[in-house]
Amino acid sequence: MTTRRWAALPVLLVAVFVTTLDFFVANLAVPSIRADLRAGDAAVQFVVAGYGLAYAAGLITAGRLGDLYGHRRMFRAGLALFTLASAGCGLAGEASWLVAARVAQGVAAALLAPQVLTLLGDLYRGADRATAFRWYGTAVGLAGVGGQVIGGALVATDPLGLGWRACFLVNVPIGAAALAMTGRLLPRPLPSPAVPHTPRAGLDLGGAGLVTAGQVAVVLPLIEGREQGWPPWAWWCVAASGPILVAFVRRQRRLAASGRTPLLDLGVFTDRAFAWGLVAVALLFGTSAGLSFVLALYLQDGLGLDPLAAGAVCTALNAGFFAASLRPARFGAPVLLLGLCLLYDVVARAAQPYQVAMALLVVGAGMGLIMSPLLSSVLSAVRPERAGAAAGVLGTVQETGGVLGCTITGTAFFGTLDGGDWRSATLAALSVLVAGALGVLAHAVLRPRARTPVTATSGEQHDRQPDGLECRLP
């Protein structure tokens, strides 16, 4: 059984990798999509934004669906939908079809993400859980920092004459193979003695509508507002998001008080280690996404590199991340900050691309050292019966943090680019990223300790590993 559980890990990680990758992979395909489908500006923007918006808006509801109907079952449903939607993207004959398929991809990715996190927590215990989350962090990080590299390579090499469609069709055989293996390799999770049996409750549809509307009202302006010059509708959406989310919280409290099951168990926020960990996750993913955004602009438009050459420079980021993620440690935040400061210095001195790559190697190492310990410690701070809710919240924070990071970094970049000074614009954006890394470092120094959960099982004690993971001792 132990061998079978480890055989399930690649299936889960493949789902994590392709769904994270698709957030970035379409960026470098946009010019080809515009020319091939004669797509307008709005359609092209939503090819990228539609995926991220649907992904971010659906995560909390998807976490609850996993609690209701089984995380294994929802994982398979999400993987099947993602594979079909990827085929729809690759076969799209017009822009509206492509946008609709990208939204479907985002919905499927949202359905998958919290199930993967919960299944990892259920399938692996103690030191095995630390190992599983280390590989999870590696998959997320490599997909995030390498998405534009892979997208650029697929467009440039034009496999089988598919052009931009290869960015989406590549998911079809991967997804189909993973789906075929889930029934055989993905075992049912271990029962947890800490989780009491409770009768199944229905989905809070009103709460799902409110939280989705609130998240769309937050994320949509962040995605589209800057590129459209912050029109009035963007500010109205942001203003409306507050009352909508307040109404959602009140509804959840009212349902819980009346003995009914809310969409989101607000008790996940009562543990300070989880709540503060979410802040660090948002800063880390915002820094990572902001860096990917500014690198694509600086290397190609600022230094004049073609997509393949820019991708070659960015492989240093991937290499540093992968090497460091094999042995993650809590001192990753200082390394991340050091790497960004080195990158700032390199850009300020108008250094050569190979020097940029050397600085990116250190940045990637910092991300690799910190990502998996941070994610695993955040999730282990909540009780097992709240795992689905916590996973949905964590995924939402990851995606919203990434969007917010791109928005703030892009605002700093383009706000300084008015005179055509690419170096000054890049330095302004890097200043924002250095501030984000400082926030991650502050969390690493000041983070509260997670409370040790207590179970009713006799003869069983709980202790904490140095990385914050739960370990059962006889």
Side-chain angles (χ1 to χ4, degrees), residues 23 102 129 146 196 201 220 228 238 240 264 272 278 299 303 375 389:
F23 192 86
R102 283 288 282 171
R129 183 181 292 180
L220 180 60
Q228 297 187 22
V238 172
L264 175 63
R272 291 177 61 234
L278 292 179
L299 293 174
L303 297 184
L375 293 175

Side-chain angles (χ1 to χ4, degrees), residues 142-167:
L142 286 177
V145 301
Q148 296 193 93
V149 176
I150 295 172
L154 287 172
V155 173
T157 56
D158 191 19
L160 302 177
L162 293 172
W164 61 267
R165 299 175 188 275
C167 293

